């Protein structure tokens, strides 16, 4: 019994130490971090993201997803941008990341920023700024991003295992994955609202559709009319086209995602699962009917997510090329 009490005490002490460390790291990030060292940094990011989104509205979701996938694997250190080498398969080439896009936009931003102020602005901060600007350009709330992150030097495909929520995850699994990053269940539901923009490959949800012209095999939590619509969009054999995550307003950052879930039209199993739990279902209904609260809560959750596992101060470095460790 004494040994067990010691183990529990050790775990409690470790948890408190981890929380204090995370709080200290977050405190080192601040809004306006580059005001003196590179005042053009955020302007350049906004200009390049605006140009990219004007040419392809779908890239807004891509840049938002890049930031999310970066933060959930090893912290917000821009490791998702590093290219694989002969001796190492990087994060971006892991299965869950092969559909990521927007790398070329980050490359353009980094090139301009380096010309303006060499060796000052991290790739990790560029990702955070680009995600913020993508949300705003798609119609979401603009929010201030505390900066001061530094870049990591390690990127391994194997590190994605268990860190990124699969499209088949249930509420318990989602809650655990987000909880491991210091994010609450409420913040998990909020951040899931990012699926109000962007698209998904048919392979991510085809298991929910009928394998024939009958209804056999259909996911019973999915609206049959929606199943039929998706079946027409996804070929039985060959190809893996993209389908809008929010079938009503795929390029508008609004409450449409939650309305879709309420109508049993959540595209991924992990989306529709939010309606299966009484606590998360209440949030879904709240955000579907209160867009302003969703927008403000999403902005706050993004700021918190952007502090996960950050490197600051003497930790990490400023990579001149975001693709090279």
């Amino acid at each position: 019994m004494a040994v067990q009490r010691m183990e529990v005490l050790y775990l409690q002490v470790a948890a408190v130490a981890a929380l204090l460390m995370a709080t200290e790291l977050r405190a080192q990030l601040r809004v306006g971090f580059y005001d003196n060292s590179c005042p053009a940094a955020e302007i350049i990011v906004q200009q390049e993201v605006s140009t990219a989104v004007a040419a392809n509205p779908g890239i807004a979701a891509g840049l938002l997803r890049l930031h999310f996938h970066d933060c959930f694997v090893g912290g917000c250190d821009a490791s998702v941008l590093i290219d694989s080498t002969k001796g190492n398969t990087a994060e971006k080439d892991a299965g869950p990341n092969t559909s990521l896009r927007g790398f070329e936009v980050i490359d353009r931003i980094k090139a301009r920023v380096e010309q303006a102020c060499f060796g000052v602005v991290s790739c990790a901060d560029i990702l955070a700024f680009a995600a913020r600007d993508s949300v705003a350009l798609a119609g979401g709330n603009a929010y201030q991003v505390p900066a001061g992150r530094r870049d990591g030097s390690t990127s391994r495909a194997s590190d994605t295992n268990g860190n990124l929520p699969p499209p088949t995850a249930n509420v318990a699994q989602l809650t655990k994955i987000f909880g491991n990053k210091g994010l609450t269940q409420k913040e998990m539901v909020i951040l899931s609202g990012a699926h109000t923009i962007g698209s998904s490959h048919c392979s991510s949800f085809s298991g929910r559709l009928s394998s024939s012209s009958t209804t056999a095999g259909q996911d019973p939590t999915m609206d049959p009319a929606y199943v039929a619509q998706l079946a027409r969009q996804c070929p039985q054999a060959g190809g893996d086209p993209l389908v809008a995550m929010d079938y009503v307003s795929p390029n508008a950052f609004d409450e449409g995602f939650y309305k879709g879930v309420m109508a049993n039209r959540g595209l991924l199993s992990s989306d529709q699962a939010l309606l299966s739990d009484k606590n998360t279902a209440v949030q879904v209904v709240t955000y579907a009917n209160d867009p302003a609260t969703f927008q403000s809560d999403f902005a706050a959750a993004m700021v918190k997510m952007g502090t996960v596992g950050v490197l600051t101060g003497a930790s990490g470095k400023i990579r001149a090329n975001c693709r090279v460790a």
Side-chain angles (χ1 to χ4, degrees), residues 38 41 44-45 48 81 103-119 121-123 126 319-323:
C38 190
I44 291 171
V45 175
E48 289 297 329
L81 303 176
F103 296 104
E104 71 289 343
V105 180
I106 302 300
D107 290 340
R108 289 196 292 269
I109 294 170
K110 182 62 172 175
R112 282 190 60 190
V113 168
E114 287 298 298
Q115 285 182 335
C117 16
F118 180 77
V121 183
S122 69
C123 300
I126 288 173
R319 301 203 306 264
N321 183 339
C322 294
R323 292 177 177 266

Side-chain angles (χ1 to χ4, degrees), residues 202-210 217-219:
C202 287
S203 57
S204 294
F205 59 86
S206 57
R208 305 183 69 199
L209 309 180
S210 172
Q218 287 182 7
D219 185 334

Side-chain angles (χ1 to χ4, degrees), residues 143 187 295-305:
Y143 54 91
E187 287 162 341
Q295 294 283 3
S296 59
D297 284 358
F298 185 85
M302 282 295 291
V303 170
K304 182 176 176 181
M305 188 197 76

Side-chain angles (χ1 to χ4, degrees), residues 270-284:
S270 56
D271 294 336
Q272 197 59 50
L274 299 178
L275 208 60
S276 69
D277 177 274
K278 63 180 182 180
N279 293 319
T280 58
V282 167
Q283 271 189 268
V284 168

Side-chain angles (χ1 to χ4, degrees), residues 67 70-72 74-78 124 149-150 305-311:
H67 183 42
D70 178 47
C71 291
F72 267 57
C76 309
D77 64 351
R149 300 165 189 79
R150 291 175 70 84
M305 188 197 76
T307 67
V308 172
V310 293
L311 301 172

